[in-house]
Amino acid sequence: MKSKNNWGVEHAVFAGATLATVVGAVTGRERWQQVAKPLIAPALAARVLRRRADTDPADVALLLAGLTAATVGDVFMIDPDDDARLVRGASSFAAMQVGYSALLFRRGARPTAPALLPRFAGWAGAAALLRGRAKEVAVPLTAYGSLLGTTSTLSADPSLAPGADVVANVAVPGTDRRSWLGAGGMLFTASDGLIVVRRLFIRGERGRAVAEGVILASYAAAQLLLVEGMLVLGRRRVTGRA
């Protein structure tokens, strides 16, 4: 029987779209991003659709809704230096984070103090920086950050991956894809945190381009880790290591 964890054509599309998007950002080829970036989340949505027979229907709906919102957000944020588009993109990703958090919560994820405290401190620090240096985007980005922090905190719950090795109260990514969730949440947080750093502190054109490439690469990796992990969480029967 073919393993449910095999990599498929949709993963090749995802990898190609991610590579083109990152290279486009670093080299200033916006057209590459316009073509490739809107394919990242739909490639993962195709993965969800392929696994829908094995996955709880409510989880399928939440994942597809989240990835649809992410696609809209990706389109808005092709130009990361347009504050109006940045705010619209953050609003779209906020909807995605709500869907991801709902799925994690219904699958038993709960906040733990070791996960919550550093994320709250990071959120508060970013909020203070935005209020002081970028008031025009401070409110929507701070609101979005609270939703991102919720997803990241829930994804770090080590009980989601029973049997996985745990370091610093976070599951170590292994063969069980549920153990990828904590790393996915941390990468998403780091990626969006770098958006704030880029917006406030990086001024040189080359530095901003490289930072955008890192943001996009870490964002795509986070999406892959989270979606693959949540698909296994939502599997109708999970026995042994998934």
Side-chain angles (χ1 to χ4, degrees), residues 2-242:
K2 189 175 181 179
S3 170
K4 294 181 175 64
N5 285 341
N6 283 352
W7 301 104
V9 173
E10 65 274 20
H11 292 109
V13 173
F14 169 84
T18 298
L19 178 61
T21 300
V22 171
V23 172
V26 173
T27 61
R29 292 177 170 86
E30 186 172 304
R31 181 59 180 165
W32 288 25
Q33 294 186 71
Q34 291 171 343
V35 172
K37 194 176 183 184
L39 298 177
I40 293 174
L44 296 177
R47 168 68 167 168
V48 174
L49 288 171
R50 284 190 62 201
R51 295 268 61 89
R52 66 187 183 279
D54 309 310
T55 310
D56 183 277
D59 290 355
V60 170
L62 287 168
L63 283 168
L64 291 178
L67 289 166
T68 299
T71 303
V72 175
D74 281 340
V75 171
F76 278 130
M77 295 182 69
I78 287 174
D79 182 357
D81 298 318
D82 183 326
D83 282 349
R85 294 177 69 88
L86 177 63
V87 169
R88 293 188 184 101
S91 298
S92 299
F93 281 110
M96 183 207 73
Q97 299 294 357
V98 169
Y100 285 6
S101 290
L103 189 156
L104 292 166
F105 189 84
R106 74 188 299 269
R107 288 293 160 191
R110 296 295 183 269
T112 62
L116 179 61
L117 294 177
R119 287 163 176 79
F120 176 79
W123 170 81
L129 284 171
L130 288 167
R131 283 196 304 273
R133 300 174 65 103
K135 291 181 180 178
E136 61 276 17
V137 296
V139 171
L141 292 190
T142 298
Y144 166 72
S146 67
L147 297 173
L148 166 64
T150 300
T151 299
S152 183
T153 299
L154 291 174
S155 69
D157 184 351
S159 71
L160 295 174
D165 294 332
V166 176
V167 175
N169 208 55
V170 177
V172 177
T175 57
D176 181 345
R177 295 190 182 185
R178 293 171 295 184
S179 68
W180 297 5
L181 289 164
M186 287 190 291
L187 264 179
F188 221 125
T189 302
S191 178
D192 284 4
L194 187 53
I195 290 175
V196 175
V197 172
R198 181 185 183 278
R199 173 68 172 73
L200 300 182
F201 299 111
I202 301 178
R203 296 291 175 238
E205 182 177 341
R206 183 60 182 164
R208 291 174 68 81
V210 170
E212 183 65 11
V214 175
I215 289 166
L216 291 167
S218 54
Y219 157 72
Q223 285 280 32
L224 178 67
L225 293 171
L226 287 169
V227 170
E228 290 292 334
M230 288 188 286
L231 276 173
V232 180
L233 280 182
R235 193 173 293 172
R236 284 174 170 161
R237 288 188 179 181
V238 179
T239 57
R241 296 185 71 82

